Amino acid sequence: MKNFKQLILTAALTIAALSNANAADVNLLNVSYDPTRELYKEYNEAFAKYWKAKTGDNVTVNQSHGGGGKQTRAVLEGLEADVVTLAVGYDVDQLYQKRKLIPENWQTLLPNNSSPYTSTIVFLVRKGNPLGIKDWDDLVKPNVSIVTPNPKTSGGARWNYLGAWAYALKHNNNDEAAAKAFVTKLFKNAAVLDTGARGSTTTFAEREIGDVLITWENEAFLVLKQFGADKYQIVAPSLSILTEPPVAVVEDVARKHGTTEVATEYLTHLYSKEGQEIVAKNFYRPIDSEIAAKYAKQFPKIELVTIDKDFGGWNATQKKHFSDDGIFDQIVAAGK
C-alpha cells in the first residue's frame, strides 16, 4: 500500500511538472493614464491568478502611465500596447482614426461603452479648508491658487475644464461667452499646469504648491489614504461631470503579439465581481449595481453632467475646446 501511494504521488508530481513545463508565459502591455497606477497594480496581480487557474498560463502585465494625451501619442508613434485604458474616449478613438489600430466600433465591444468604471471631478484642499472653498465659483477668486494639469496633454485636465465650463453655463443661463470668461479666470489662477494628473498631485501634496487641487475623485481619495485625512480634505462641488475612462484591445498589436485572447479577457474581467471590487477599493465608481450599492456611502452625491448629453460627445468637444486654436488655446493666449 505504501508503494502504491508513492506511485500515485510520483505520478501526480510528474503530471504537475509536465503541466508547468507546457504552461505558456504571456506578456501584456497596458498603456494607461496617470492615476490608475494603484488600481492596475492590484488588478494585474488578481488577473494573473485568475488566468493561471483558468488556463495554466503565466501572464505578466506591464504598465505604462502618463498624461492621457501623451500616452495616446506614444501608441500612435509605435509603443506596442496590447490594451489601452485611457482617460477619455477621444484619445482611444484616435487609434482608429489615425492608424486603424482598433476597429471603428471599439466602443460597442464591451459593456457601458467600454467603460468598466466611472469617476468625477472634485477639489482637494488642505485640512480645515482655510479659504472656505465650496464650489467652482470660489476657484476664480483672486486670492486662490489652483493646481490642475494641462488639457493639451492630460485627459483628466480636459474633464476638469469641462466640469468648470458646465458649472459656468448653468449659472449664466447657458451663455458661452460668460462660460469662457469664467474658465479664463480659473486658469489665470493656475499655479502650475503639469502634463498629467499624478504630476499635479505631486505638485500639490508633496511640493505643497497651491490652495486647491482639481482632480479625479479617486485620486483625491488616494491622497487622503497616502498622506492622511489629517492633512487634506475633499470638497465635492455642487455640479461636476461624469468621467467615463474607456478601455480597448489594440487589436492590430495583439494579433501581432498573439495575445488577442488574453488581452480581451483582461479587459472583460474588469467587469467581473472581482474586478469591480478592486475598482471600488481603489475609489473608482463601479458600474456593477451590486458592488456599487455596497460602496455607495463612499461616494458623495453630486449633480453630474455627461459628455454625450451635455457636450455633444468627445469628437465635437475636442474640436471646439482643445484643438489647435480652440477655446482653451484662446484662453491661454488671453492669460499671457
Side-chain angles (χ1 to χ4, degrees):
M1 180 65 69
K2 183 177 180 181
N3 290 336
F4 180 70
K5 288 181 178 180
Q6 287 177 334
L7 286 171
I8 292 176
L9 177 60
T10 301
L13 291 172
T14 301
I15 291 170
L18 288 171
S19 176
N20 288 332
N22 292 328
D25 292 323
V26 183
N27 288 282
L28 294 180
L29 176 60
N30 176 6
V31 173
S32 195
Y33 63 104
D34 256 339
T36 61
R37 300 167 194 266
E38 292 75 17
L39 166 63
Y40 283 111
K41 182 178 186 298
E42 183 175 352
Y43 176 72
N44 292 347
E45 292 173 359
F47 179 76
K49 292 178 183 178
Y50 162 78
W51 192 248
K52 179 71 173 178
K54 181 176 180 177
T55 69
D57 292 343
N58 305 305
V59 60
T60 300
V61 185
N62 299 303
Q63 291 292 136
S64 173
H65 294 277
K70 183 179 179 181
Q71 293 293 83
T72 302
R73 286 191 293 275
V75 176
L76 289 171
E77 291 169 2
L79 181 60
E80 293 195 345
D82 298 277
V83 299
V84 291
T85 55
L86 294 174
V88 299
Y90 176 82
D91 287 344
V92 179
D93 205 46
Q94 292 306 290
L95 304 185
Y96 168 75
Q97 296 291 343
K98 293 185 176 179
R99 283 197 55 199
K100 303 296 187 289
L101 295 174
I102 60 175
E104 185 176 11
N105 68 335
W106 66 271
Q107 209 157 15
T108 69
L109 301 180
L110 289 168
N112 198 47
N113 290 324
S114 289
S115 294
Y117 44 83
T118 65
S119 189
T120 189
I121 301 302
V122 299
F123 312 146
L124 191 69
V125 299
R126 305 191 190 282
K127 190 65 178 180
N129 194 5
L131 296 184
I133 303 297
K134 296 179 181 178
D135 217 333
W136 291 98
D137 54 352
D138 293 316
L139 306 190
V140 301
K141 293 177 179 178
N143 65 326
V144 176
S145 174
I146 69 167
V147 175
T148 179
N150 189 331
K152 301 295 270 191
T153 56
S154 165
R158 279 173 274 175
W159 290 117
N160 293 355
Y161 170 106
L162 294 174
W165 187 274
Y167 175 89
L169 283 180
K170 179 179 179 180
H171 290 270
N172 290 281
N173 297 313
N174 290 315
D175 184 338
E176 291 210 341
K180 182 178 178 181
F182 181 88
V183 178
T184 298
K185 288 182 180 179
L186 186 145
F187 276 91
K188 281 184 177 179
N189 281 353
V192 181
L193 290 180
D194 291 292
T195 58
R198 182 54 58 87
S200 287
T201 300
T202 300
T203 294
F204 182 77
E206 293 187 17
R207 297 172 61 197
E208 298 188 344
I209 293 173
D211 303 306
V212 186
L213 173 66
I214 310 175
T215 191
W216 299 86
E217 179 180 59
N218 53 279
E219 186 79 346
F221 275 116
L222 188 64
V223 171
L224 296 190
K225 179 181 178 180
Q226 291 187 343
F227 291 89
D230 59 327
K231 294 183 178 180
Y232 302 99
Q233 66 187 70
I234 297 171
V235 174
S238 63
L239 177 145
S240 193
I241 188 164
L242 178 69
T243 62
E244 302 169 276
V247 302
V249 175
V250 186
E251 294 190 8
D252 189 70
V253 174
R255 279 194 299 270
K256 175 183 173 182
H257 291 172
T259 57
T260 300
E261 181 184 3
V262 63
T264 302
E265 187 74 9
Y266 175 78
L267 296 184
T268 301
H269 195 65
L270 280 166
Y271 295 85
S272 70
K273 296 296 183 184
E274 179 182 43
Q276 291 288 289
E277 280 275 355
I278 293 171
V279 160
K281 287 177 181 178
N282 283 274
F283 312 112
Y284 294 82
R285 297 187 178 212
I287 64 166
D288 180 279
S289 58
E290 181 182 340
I291 306 300
K294 180 179 176 180
Y295 288 88
K297 292 182 180 179
Q298 178 172 276
F299 303 109
K301 292 183 179 180
I302 307 172
E303 180 185 352
L304 298 175
V305 300
T306 69
I307 191 68
D308 289 332
K309 181 180 177 182
D310 299 283
F311 286 92
W314 263 113
N315 284 330
T317 302
Q318 180 73 24
K319 181 178 180 180
K320 178 177 179 177
H321 291 275
F322 307 116
S323 63
D324 290 344
D325 300 321
I327 294 176
F328 176 71
D329 279 359
Q330 296 166 28
I331 285 171
V332 171
K336 291 181 179 178

